[in-house]
Amino acid sequence: MNALLEIVDLKSFYGASQALHGVNLVVRPGEQIALIGRNGMGKTTLLKSIVGLLSDRRGRIGFAGTSTLRAKPEDIARKGLAYVPEGRGVFGSLSVVENLVMSARQGVSGSRRWTIDRVFEVFPRLHQRRGNGGHQLSGGEQQMLSIGRALMTNPDLILLDEATEGLAPLIAQEIWKTLGVIRAEGIATIVVDKDFRSLAKVADRMVVMAKGEVAFDGTPGELQANPAILERHLGI
Ligand code: ATP
């Protein structure tokens, strides 16, 4: 099957400092990719480079059949890419419903599968809190809202940074369950998280980053059978 996202020899820079040193990665439609590795290895930088938020990027990035290396974030988003950043970026002064409504749009192929009702079905907690302001929500509720907003754009690929960071275990479980729903819908995802075991249960592939490069790319089973990579890059 054709790649939805194809990254070849990607190098990204913060001013004079190089953070990515030639990343190669392919994501096929509907695939769930876990992006893991120790702190500071380039996971967030890779997500930001894909979304177009890092202006100095070199190499090749193809998304949905066109080159997006020089494209602006808003144009990349319109091609069917949704980004849930670390820290979530919920609008505190808007209600849950307002946060969701302002993100609503049909997908690239005209799909309108994700509506407010559908998001409330997946996250009943958000329905209970629908009139509350973003600033009144717990961290877990904000993460649900942030994922709900991404779904309201009817995307083909969602990038989710630090999916369960700082969340209570029960809430984190709900996020993992939602990732299963997203996968079943055929939406591709790249998920960054430190919870290796939960990722290994939901992901099609585990991609390990080290020093701005991909150190391993394989199935969860292949990674678990590779103690050297687990120990060196994940401390497991
Ligand atoms: P973490 O889990 O800690 O967020 P990460 O794998 O996502 O780690 P990045 O945040 O992408 O790693 O960082 C990769 C490298 O880029 C690090 O060396 C980091 O210090 C550097 N870096 C990140 N953001 C900036 C910035 N705004 N300016 C300069 N260097 C940066």
Side-chain angles (χ1 to χ4, degrees):
M1 201 185 283
N2 284 342
L4 175 65
L5 175 73
E6 186 171 21
I7 298 173
V8 181
D9 197 25
L10 178 67
K11 298 177 172 118
S12 292
F13 299 79
Y14 293 101
S17 154
Q18 184 169 358
L20 297 186
H21 295 268
V23 169
N24 296 293
L25 180 69
V26 169
V27 182
R28 291 171 203 88
E31 257 189 324
Q32 200 152 85
I33 308 291
L35 190 60
I36 50 183
R38 294 182 192 271
N39 288 346
M41 293 297 147
K43 304 178 295 293
T44 298
T45 303
L46 177 56
L47 297 192
K48 284 187 177 164
S49 302
I50 296 169
V51 188
L53 289 171
L54 265 188
S55 50
D56 194 353
R57 45 196 201 273
R58 304 170 199 176
R60 280 208 334 253
I61 307 179
F63 177 62
T66 55
S67 169
T68 51
L69 189 73
R70 310 244 167 270
K72 295 199 181 81
E74 58 270 32
D75 294 327
I76 300 173
R78 266 188 223 109
K79 288 181 187 295
L81 185 74
Y83 177 45
V84 181
E86 204 175 345
R88 287 131 207 171
V90 159
F91 292 101
S93 58
L94 300 183
S95 71
V96 166
V97 168
E98 286 164 343
N99 265 284
L100 291 171
V101 166
M102 65 174 291
S103 310
R105 65 168 183 254
Q106 64 180 39
V108 174
S109 60
S111 153
R112 295 171 188 271
R113 290 172 72 163
W114 285 96
T115 58
I116 285 213
D117 289 345
R118 190 73 214 291
V119 170
F120 284 156
E121 215 176 276
V122 173
F123 294 120
R125 248 180 123 97
L126 285 186
H127 185 248
Q128 288 162 15
R129 307 282 264 141
R130 61 192 177 281
N132 286 105
H135 64 280
Q136 294 172 308
L137 303 179
S138 69
E141 289 163 349
Q142 285 187 24
Q143 183 63 312
M144 291 173 196
L145 181 53
S146 199
I147 295 172
R149 277 198 328 200
L151 290 169
M152 289 292 286
T153 68
N154 284 287
D156 295 314
L157 175 62
I158 299 180
L159 309 185
L160 182 50
D161 203 354
E162 300 291 3
T164 65
E165 174 95 345
L167 302 185
L170 272 179
I171 305 288
Q173 259 177 40
E174 236 176 288
I175 302 293
W176 293 121
K177 210 172 76 195
T178 308
L179 283 169
V181 173
I182 293 173
R183 182 165 178 262
E185 291 273 338
I187 301 171
T189 46
I190 302 180
V191 184
V192 174
D193 203 87
K194 294 190 177 64
D195 184 348
F196 170 80
R197 275 167 234 294
S198 298
L199 281 170
K201 280 187 208 149
V202 295
D204 296 300
R205 269 170 42 226
M206 310 291 278
V207 173
V208 180
M209 289 201 67
K211 297 187 182 154
E213 289 178 50
V214 171
F216 175 91
D217 183 344
T219 64
E222 285 163 353
L223 179 56
Q224 269 150 347
N226 196 328
I229 294 277
L230 287 175
E231 196 186 336
R232 188 171 340 134
H233 299 298
L234 302 166
I236 293 171

